Amino acid sequence: MTVLQDRDARREVLLAAADRVVQRDGASASMAAIAAEAGITKPILYRHFGDKSGLYAALAERHTDSLLDALVDALTGGGTPRERVHRTIDTYLATIEQQPQVYRFLVQSEEAASAHGQVRGFLRRLQELLAAGIAHELALEAEDLRSFVWAAGIVGMVQSAGERWLEVQDCSRDALAGLLTDLLWGAYGSSAD
Amino acid sequence: MTVLQDRDARREVLLAAADRVVQRDGASASMAAIAAEAGITKPILYRHFGDKSGLYAALAERHTDSLLDALVDALTGGGTPRERVHRTIDTYLATIEQQPQVYRFLVQSEEAASAHGQVRGFLRRLQELLAAGIAHELALEAEDLRSFVWAAGIVGMVQSAGERWLEVQDCSRDALAGLLTDLLWGAYGSSAD
DNA sequence: TGACATCTGTTACCGCCGGTAACACCGTAG
DNA sequence: CTACGGTGTTACCGGCGGTAACAGATGTCA
């Protein structure tokens, strides 16, 4: 059954090419450009991924898997809860700092895919993961609303602050992670009281 | 100088038509559709707004102005800091609940415009406003990093949790606002310690 | 009045995109 | 030799954002 191996191997090659194009062209990478980079033509791309959102999903999964692993490690490692949260946020920020183009592509693919079909994208998986982590950390029941709401909120918080930071770069990564950790520990609320 | 009045009046008519189309077609509203809704043709639209992001910006400003006013009222009204934050978040959620299509259009326009040109969009203005509010509330210097970072974080937090809520609708608006306020007051951090 | 410029509006086009139909090639099974 | 499934291509479709080029009204100056 070398045909299946060939298919998978080819798929990897195509994804690698897509990766390169995204890294070069940013989020506006077109299917034709990706096909050209891979040295093939569009219909082949469509036969493999069906759809642009299909390629989005495959590419997202690829990057998301490694990032999620790193985040789980950071979150479940040693130290106080606060140290672990700080470390986890820093891990996230490090990723988007090193690969901003890919990161932007993933976030946009999230929007594009969620609007059209039912593809679990980048941020969505992050939220699910974090919700499970929060439920475990706080010993909540699995269906507790708080874990879902807070996970969505925290992901949005880090994402939004991270995006701003990518543009203006007005402090060190560690300082930003610290400020966000402070915010999660009620630095704003308790200051305002 | 009725010509200027005419121009402005026309502009309002066009924006109203754009509004209707966005409300109907969602974020994928096309320039041709907007022109048709207004009973004119595309070049006129382009003569008035130059560009799609120009129309985006004009439309965003329109909605953002009223929303920002409401948010300022909520934030600077009476009550404890916590009550005011709760009320402000609820105001935001009420807006995106009542006009989800418009809201999605604004957020997307933010991305589209910020990627291409230098248009201060919806979320950006929200962040600036909130940063000023935070600096005032906590008596920080105007250039204090914390106000900017926290503003970006809080806006992202509410936006992300609000988007999730729009899709699943698994609790009342007030309950969601309460959970997010809790989060800002360190409910997660202090629970995890 | 007639000639000219200007503003408003149109049609018809451009290039690019995502996506696909239809056909050419080539190794293999009968 | 033939029939066939898979791989690859070219060439197209409709729709998008955006624009050039032209047509008609309107006001201005001689």
Side-chain angles (χ1 to χ4, degrees), chain B residues 3 10 39-41 43-44 47:
Chain B
V3 59
R10 174 79 106 158
I40 56 165
T41 50
I44 302 182
R47 285 221 257 265

Side-chain angles (χ1 to χ4, degrees), chain B residues 150-166:
Chain B
W150 288 350
I154 291 171
V155 168
M157 178 191 96
V158 176
Q159 199 254 327
S160 170
E163 216 162 90
R164 192 199 78 95
W165 175 70
L166 270 188

